[in-house]
């Protein structure tokens, strides 16, 4: 962080971002946040929801907002920040994966590569099924086109909308939220530190 604040970094275009429920995949293994049911199933506990929000905000601040703000303050404008919110994870009769995992760590990967059938990204279970493909497919096409354009040109597109945080660290944060149309779509989020 000190290197960024002293303007000692390569001034190349950068995309930074996190997933809304980034920490849930790690937290579900922790008995402070989940409990066993019938000796086998981990059932969501209220502490998981509260803890994941707090840890998610901290993760977002340290891994995306603060570095982006430092680069922006150093005069670097080609910084693009996002949050991935898609949480339409399939459920089964045993577990509510949407509540348990939400928009967890690495769930954005199939969308960035538009790999809706999970043939290239190899996540441990299939995120996309017949119930959520209608919303997931357009989101995957959009995200992969932003990342492909960014790789080719250094600009992901939507330049007037998708921009880095404004103001110094601790003030307003602006970033692009990736989600399905049913949950608000791809949109700009602007809020103060500690929100969203």
């Amino acid at each position: 962080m000190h290197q960024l604040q002293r303007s000692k970094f390569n001034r190349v275009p950068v995309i930074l971002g996190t997933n809304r429920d980034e920490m849930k995949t790690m937290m579900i293994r922790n008995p402070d946040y989940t409990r066993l049911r019938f000796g086998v199933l981990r059932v969501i506990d209220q502490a998981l929801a509260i803890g994941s929000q707090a840890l998610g905000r901290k993760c977002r601040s340290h891994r995306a907002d603060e570095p982006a703000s430092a680069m922006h303050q150093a005069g670097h404008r080609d910084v693009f920040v996002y949050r991935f919110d898609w949480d339409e994870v399939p459920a089964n009769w045993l577990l509510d994966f949407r509540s348990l995992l939400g928009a967890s760590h690495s769930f954005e990967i199939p969308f960035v590569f538009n790999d809706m059938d999970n043939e290239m990204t190899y996540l441990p279970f299939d995120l996309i099924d017949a119930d959520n493909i209608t919303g997931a497919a357009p989101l995957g096409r959009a995200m992969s086109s932003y990342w492909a354009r960014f790789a080719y040109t250094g600009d992901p597109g939507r330049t007037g909308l998708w921009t880095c945080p404004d103001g110094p660290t601790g003030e307003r944060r602006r970033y692009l939220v990736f989600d399905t149309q049913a949950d608000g779509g791809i949109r700009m989020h602007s809020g103060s530190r500690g929100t969203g």
Side-chain angles (χ1 to χ4, degrees):
M1 192 62 174
H2 297 293
Q3 296 292 84
L4 296 177
Q5 291 168 336
R6 293 192 316 234
S7 299
K8 295 191 174 197
F9 59 89
N10 290 329
R11 291 174 182 265
V12 297
V14 176
I15 291 179
L16 298 168
T18 60
N19 293 2
R20 188 193 64 220
D21 303 308
E22 189 77 40
M23 305 305 291
K24 277 190 173 181
T25 48
M26 287 61 115
M27 294 173 72
I28 60 173
R29 298 181 187 112
N30 185 331
D32 292 339
Y33 299 108
T34 57
R35 61 184 184 270
L36 292 177
R37 183 176 178 189
F38 306 121
V40 178
L41 301 175
R42 294 184 183 269
V43 177
I44 190 165
D45 186 88
Q46 187 63 24
L48 177 63
I50 295 167
S52 71
Q53 291 172 4
L55 287 171
R57 283 192 299 269
K58 185 176 181 180
C59 177
R60 162 161 208 80
S61 178
H62 291 310
R63 296 180 184 170
D65 293 338
E66 291 174 13
S69 288
M71 286 186 270
H72 195 259
Q73 288 173 37
H76 187 47
R77 298 294 183 253
D78 295 328
V79 183
F80 306 93
V81 182
Y82 75 91
R83 185 182 73 198
F84 182 74
D85 279 15
W86 182 86
D87 62 1
E88 297 164 20
V89 185
N92 63 34
W93 65 276
L94 295 172
L95 290 174
D96 176 9
F97 287 115
R98 185 174 190 163
S99 296
L100 190 62
L101 297 172
S104 283
H105 178 74
S106 76
F107 282 16
E108 82 284 6
I109 302 299
F111 292 85
V112 168
F113 292 99
N114 197 22
D115 184 26
M116 299 295 100
D117 53 10
N118 198 24
E119 287 185 358
M120 297 182 303
T121 49
Y122 303 113
L123 286 178
F125 61 92
D126 292 332
L127 295 176
I128 313 302
D129 66 5
D131 294 331
N132 64 22
I133 188 67
T134 303
L139 182 59
R141 287 191 298 272
M143 285 185 71
S144 65
S145 76
Y146 290 138
W147 263 255
R149 180 177 166 161
F150 176 79
Y152 188 69
T153 68
D155 178 356
R158 294 179 69 129
T159 304
L161 176 63
W162 187 357
T163 58
C164 58
D166 52 356
T169 301
E171 291 186 3
R172 296 181 70 205
R173 309 285 190 187
R174 296 187 307 151
Y175 51 87
L176 201 62
V177 173
F178 287 101
D179 208 344
T180 60
Q181 281 301 117
D183 285 340
I186 299 171
R187 63 197 180 276
M188 196 66 189
H189 177 82
S190 182
S192 61
R193 183 177 179 159
T195 63

